[in-house]
Amino acid sequence: PSIKATDLKSGDKFISVAGKTLVPNEQLKAVPSCELTQQLQANFYKPVEVIVERKEGQTTKQHTVTIPPNPLRTLGLGF
């Protein structure tokens, strides 16, 4: 099934970004946010397809979401 990027919900687990499977941290049992951010930032200038897993009642379903381009403008400074 496919959902819109605006329909992402708290609790959705990101499974892959642009075809690259995200590996969960064994201790946290979740994908580190820095890994997810890095993969999304690498694709800011083009639409990126992500797969999320969502608990729906007693079942868990995977959904495909296309996130539109979101180019950032920076001064080249990082903190």
Side-chain angles (χ1 to χ4, degrees):
S2 186
I3 58 176
K4 295 182 213 165
T6 55
D7 293 336
L8 288 171
K9 294 182 179 180
S10 175
D12 286 351
K13 290 183 180 180
F14 283 81
I15 304 300
S16 73
V17 176
K20 181 180 179 188
T21 301
L22 301 172
V23 180
N25 177 293
E26 288 187 28
Q27 291 178 329
L28 300 174
K29 305 292 184 210
V31 174
S33 60
C34 59
E35 173 71 16
L36 176 59
T37 300
Q38 181 181 6
Q39 293 302 318
L40 290 172
Q41 285 178 343
N43 293 286
F44 268 144
Y45 289 97
K46 60 185 176 185
V48 62
E49 191 172 272
V50 299
I51 297 176
V52 296
E53 193 172 79
R54 178 181 293 171
K55 190 165 180 87
E56 297 177 0
Q58 296 299 320
T59 62
T60 301
K61 294 185 180 176
Q62 287 190 356
H63 298 276
T64 301
V65 182
T66 301
I67 299 176
N70 188 14
L72 295 176
R73 295 181 185 193
T74 65
L75 298 174
L77 301 173
F79 297 96

